[in-house]
Amino acid sequence: ENSLQKTSVPLSTNSHDAFIPPNMLNLSNFTKLMKKLQKLHPEASRDRIVDALLEVRKNNKGILSGLSISSIMERTSVIL
């Protein structure tokens, strides 16, 4: 757990330009995922979706790699 804390990057989810570390998802997949989640949850702000994605990552030992896009969407939707 300490190694996860040392490698985590501070995030500012209060900004529309919230930084998502490159190892979270590649940019293309992240963009596709955000568009799908925004369409599925039009009531949720972009920041709220990002927060939910970060929670999914936290709940999955600090990584999203290895999870399918559909699995990430399902887990994020539960949080939203």
Side-chain angles (χ1 to χ4, degrees):
E1 189 170 320
N2 283 342
S3 64
L4 291 177
Q5 290 174 346
K6 290 177 186 173
T7 59
S8 64
V9 176
L11 300 174
S12 171
T13 56
N14 295 330
S15 165
H16 289 290
D17 299 321
F19 176 72
I20 303 298
N23 61 348
M24 182 173 170
L25 285 174
N26 72 44
L27 188 57
S28 175
N29 283 344
F30 176 74
T31 302
K32 290 177 192 174
L33 181 59
M34 283 299 296
K35 286 181 181 180
K36 288 179 180 183
L37 287 167
Q38 287 173 323
K39 188 173 182 177
L40 190 61
H41 300 282
E43 76 288 353
S45 68
R46 182 184 189 282
D47 288 346
R48 178 66 189 116
I49 293 171
V50 169
D51 287 344
L53 284 167
L54 292 172
E55 191 171 331
V56 169
R57 183 179 72 172
K58 178 183 169 190
N59 294 340
N60 194 55
K61 300 178 183 177
I63 58 172
L64 288 178
S65 61
L67 294 176
S68 67
I69 295 290
S70 61
S71 177
I72 295 169
M73 284 185 61
E74 288 172 18
R75 293 175 187 203
T76 304
S77 293
V78 168
I79 293 167
L80 291 171

